[in-house]
Amino acid sequence: MNESDNKYLIFSADGRRFSMSFSDVLVIIPAAQPVKIPDFPDYAEGTVVNDGRVVTVINLRKRFGYTPREVTDRDCIIICDGRKSIGLLCDSISGFRELDESEIQPAPDINEQVNARFITGEFLIDGEPCYIIKPELVIREDDEEAFSAVRKDQ
């Protein structure tokens, strides 16, 4: 087991808590104004360059259907370490949590048609849910083709 497999970065979007495994995090940078991408989904803000790498920025507020707002100096982009070059724009980072596997509950799931494929589980912080997400799965399945086209152009 990788040392970071039981450590989770905690961040927020519209007052709700989310987390991801430390193994999915490459770097966290201050929010920057992304360069717009034509004909991309509305939740993909555009791209930023980080360490010579073009990264597609996904606005979590828009992607999750929350109220959009202006970016503030507390906002940041979590550059994800995966096969897709994505960064997640979130409202703030609140820390990390080391979890025992027994603390993680299954993802909320109503039925096969109504579930969030990117939520892999959840745990409680101060009695409130914190949803564990898999960054690469935040992209909607029907938008995969557009994201693949950008990766091929890089």
Side-chain angles (χ1 to χ4, degrees), residues 29-34 48 71-77 89-90:
I29 63 172
Q33 186 61 45
V48 295
V71 174
T72 72
D73 62 350
R74 298 226 359 117
D75 294 356
C76 50
I77 299 171
L89 175 64
C90 65

Side-chain angles (χ1 to χ4, degrees), residues 88-106:
L88 304 178
L89 175 64
C90 65
D91 296 351
S92 64
I93 304 287
S94 58
F96 77 95
R97 169 96 30 117
E98 194 165 343
L99 296 173
D100 185 84
E101 200 171 305
S102 65
E103 296 176 84
I104 300 173
Q105 300 175 31

Side-chain angles (χ1 to χ4, degrees), residues 8 19-20 104 118-123 130-134:
Y8 293 85
S19 64
M20 70 174 69
I104 300 173
F118 54 85
I119 297 178
T120 62
E122 64 184 310
F123 58 93
C130 179
Y131 302 104
I132 302 169
I133 67 168
K134 186 70 179 159

